[in-house]
Amino acid sequence: MSHQATLTAYLVAFVAELVQTGITDVVVSPGSRSTPMAMVMAEHPDVNIHIHVDERSAAFFALGIAKATNKPVAILCTSGTAAANYFPAIVEARYSRVPLLVLTADRPHELRDVGAPQAIDQIHLYGHHVKWFADMALPDNSKDVIRYARTVSARAAAIATAAPAGPVHLNFPFREPLIPKLDGETFQLEERPKGYVHVRNGELTIDEDEFKKISLKLNSYKNGIIVCGNIGDEQFAQAVTDLSAALRFPILADPLSQLRSGKHSLENIVEAYDTFLRNEDAKVYLKPDVIVRFGAMPVSKALTIFLKENHQADQLVIDGAGGWRDPASLSTEMIYCNESIFCERLLALTEKRESAEYLEKWLEVNNLTKANMALIKDSQKLSEGRLFYQIADLLPEGATLFVGNSMPIRDLDSFFLNNQKSIKVIANRGANGIDGTVSAALGAALYSQPLYLVLGDLTFFHDLNGLIAAKLYGIDIQIIVVNNNGGGIFSFLPQSEHPKNFELLFGTPLNLEFEHAVRMFNGNFTKVKDWEHLSELMNPSAEVKGLNVYEVVTNRESNLTEHREFWRIVSQEISNYVKGTH
């Protein structure tokens, strides 16, 4: 059999098996050495090929697709530095538990480490940031190698999706000629046509005796809180709110927990904690005896400090993926059990408490904090706090909100209040970087509509080339760029107390006119005049297609002053309230 026929049979087997596993979205960055895989994939009728010329953006684009669909996505590139440009998104996928299948083309073994062009060491290129790596065998048409290709395909997809989900790397060495023989080629496999090997992934759980012990422990405490970070299980909201209602424990819901918005009960959801947990009187008043935590670590630094200060409390961390989300070494119990299953099984062993005194304390302080948000909600000038306070009102039912890191996610945490609009909130909080945000949001927008992206000017600039996906694929997206001309978050950090070189090193004003870049990608650009103007632009009844960018210009110093004044007013009110209750 000719080299071309061998190459084709090998890759047809691999790709056909990949589709059997459910991987149908592939983001391809053009290149020479990856030609055979790309051409075979393009021939498969069930594979959706998305072309993205920049490998860094391509990988984040795939990450966004995976986040929106909760399904693994494959990325394919040529050899050399193309593969290295995948690294930031792979790191994010690893730490945010997103399944990616990374396919890199490589020189054959005889062309490695001998000075051949576009050849770098791609063996274990991503180190421990991938769950599994395989340097694939050279293409062969023997039955054993065809079975090997199909088995690795199924195995890689299964490992990527198994909890905790994450990236898997397969490195394919290809010899020239690189053009497969596709004349009349079909993807019907003779042996086991419905899949060579099916891998069954189950849910982690614990036995009934353990549930009984945990139930007795939690029922023995009156002062307990439930902390929920980023979690993607759609069943979790109902399960955890039911458990909260029985235990009479408040739920401190991170904006990425998907608990602040939806049709589930919001009665025990506390969302203003980032503000009132800055107050010492409140922290003493609300001191817990037990803390039950689900999902990733919360965004809020005030909440993180509160958890650390209550290290004497029993702290139960429930992780259905068997990880170790405990950076401050606070947990007294690490429980490896699916989060929804844990809540449901525990609920069956829990009788609803009559007393809700501790829960009422949290709800009263939470409501008092929200009642004092007039400084934010009544601000006439364009401000970052009010933007996030109003975002739930501005967004339509069922919208997806993708939020950039640094200040946007923190302001969302502070000011995005409970609502029943079922708004899905997404952010890249695995490694907390600003890179690739535009690309990830556009990837999510392929399958999740309508989608709104809110990010800062530095984050927008960092991934401007990612806008090409909107142009190529006609993706509908509305982007709100909060332009405070620099790194606004640094004004809140200790660096700001050293003004001599603050702007040079941290403020980093760019003084960019983003309109030119947006127009280059056939987008519409609007500089927001005032709040009424923004409301008109985001009116759900307006038919908005394509790429639309709204720039909200704010002032870093004014933003800092507004935040601090709000915290001061709320802190004073809470101290007066707490002292008045004793």
Side-chain angles (χ1 to χ4, degrees), residues 91-407:
V91 170
E92 176 61 30
R94 177 65 166 178
Y95 289 102
S96 59
R97 300 181 175 182
V98 175
L100 286 183
L101 184 57
V102 184
L103 309 175
T104 57
D106 199 356
R107 288 332 197 224
H109 300 74
E110 67 270 17
L111 292 182
R112 295 177 182 175
D113 200 26
V114 292
Q118 207 170 327
I120 67 172
D121 184 358
Q122 295 178 197
I123 307 303
H124 293 288
L125 178 62
Y126 309 113
H128 294 295
H129 291 99
V130 292
K131 294 179 66 181
W132 185 55
F133 166 76
D135 189 28
M136 298 294 289
L138 285 159
D140 193 303
N141 195 38
S142 68
K143 287 185 177 180
D144 284 345
V145 174
I146 293 298
R147 288 168 182 159
Y148 156 82
R150 294 182 66 186
T151 299
V152 172
S153 180
R155 183 181 177 188
I159 293 173
T161 54
V168 166
H169 177 204
L170 303 180
N171 190 57
F172 285 83
F174 293 132
R175 288 193 177 110
E176 295 181 351
L178 299 171
I179 306 301
K181 185 178 181 181
L182 294 170
D183 297 338
E185 188 63 53
T186 70
F187 290 84
Q188 295 300 315
L189 299 166
E190 293 182 7
E191 188 176 13
R192 304 183 192 176
K194 294 184 179 180
Y196 192 77
V197 55
H198 297 279
V199 183
R200 308 293 185 188
N201 285 326
E203 302 285 4
L204 275 177
T205 188
I206 55 179
D207 64 36
E208 190 67 19
D209 286 341
E210 292 299 316
F211 277 114
K212 289 177 180 177
K213 291 176 185 177
I214 295 168
S215 176
L216 286 172
K217 172 176 283 191
L218 293 183
N219 283 316
S220 70
Y221 288 114
K222 293 182 180 178
N223 299 346
I225 62 173
I226 298 172
V227 178
C228 296
N230 187 356
I231 194 163
D233 184 355
E234 293 181 358
Q235 310 301 317
F236 178 70
Q238 189 63 53
V240 75
T241 51
D242 286 347
L243 181 62
S244 166
L247 291 171
R248 298 298 184 98
F249 288 179
I251 299 174
L252 281 62
D254 184 271
L256 299 175
S257 68
Q258 314 308 329
L259 292 174
R260 295 192 191 182
S261 182
K263 302 300 186 285
H264 55 274
S265 173
L266 302 173
E267 185 178 0
N268 295 342
I269 304 291
V270 172
E271 78 272 47
Y273 54 79
D274 183 65
T275 296
F276 65 72
L277 287 181
R278 298 170 187 269
N279 176 274
E280 294 301 320
D281 292 324
K283 291 195 283 187
V284 172
Y285 182 62
L286 300 171
K287 190 178 183 67
D289 296 321
V290 64
I291 299 166
V292 183
R293 189 162 63 76
F294 300 93
M297 288 300 296
V299 169
S300 170
K301 187 174 183 180
L303 175 54
T304 301
I305 291 172
F306 181 71
L307 297 177
K308 291 174 69 174
E309 290 174 343
N310 285 283
H311 56 83
Q312 85 297 331
D314 267 352
Q315 299 203 26
L316 286 65
V317 177
I318 295 85
D319 190 345
W324 198 269
R325 287 168 158 171
D326 186 20
S329 301
L330 298 171
S331 58
T332 53
E333 294 193 39
M334 187 66 68
I335 302 168
Y336 292 150
C337 179
N338 173 273
E339 293 83 356
S340 296
I341 291 174
F342 178 87
C343 293
E344 291 165 359
R345 295 281 294 278
L346 207 59
L347 179 64
L349 298 169
T350 302
E351 291 187 12
K352 186 172 182 178
R353 277 203 180 101
E354 295 300 322
S355 173
E357 182 180 348
Y358 183 69
L359 170 62
E360 292 300 328
K361 283 184 176 182
W362 277 89
L363 296 179
E364 287 164 3
V365 172
N366 191 59
N367 290 333
L368 178 64
T369 302
K370 293 192 289 185
N372 279 277
M373 285 191 175
L375 180 70
I376 300 298
K377 68 182 180 182
D378 295 337
S379 175
Q380 294 304 304
K381 62 188 176 186
L382 293 174
S383 70
E384 296 166 37
R386 179 168 171 178
L387 171 64
F388 287 97
Y389 179 85
Q390 286 195 292
I391 201 75
D393 293 332
L394 294 170
L395 297 181
E397 167 71 31
T400 295
L401 174 62
F402 204 114
V403 186
N405 282 319
S406 294
M407 279 309 296

Side-chain angles (χ1 to χ4, degrees), residues 50 61 442 445-446 449 467-477 521-522 544-548:
H50 313 282
F61 187 72
L442 283 164
L446 270 182
Q449 284 289 332
L467 293 174
I468 188 63
K471 179 177 183 291
L472 291 177
Y473 299 108
I475 300 172
D476 298 334
I477 188 171
F521 295 105
N522 291 352
V544 179
K545 294 293 183 182
L547 168 63
N548 292 273

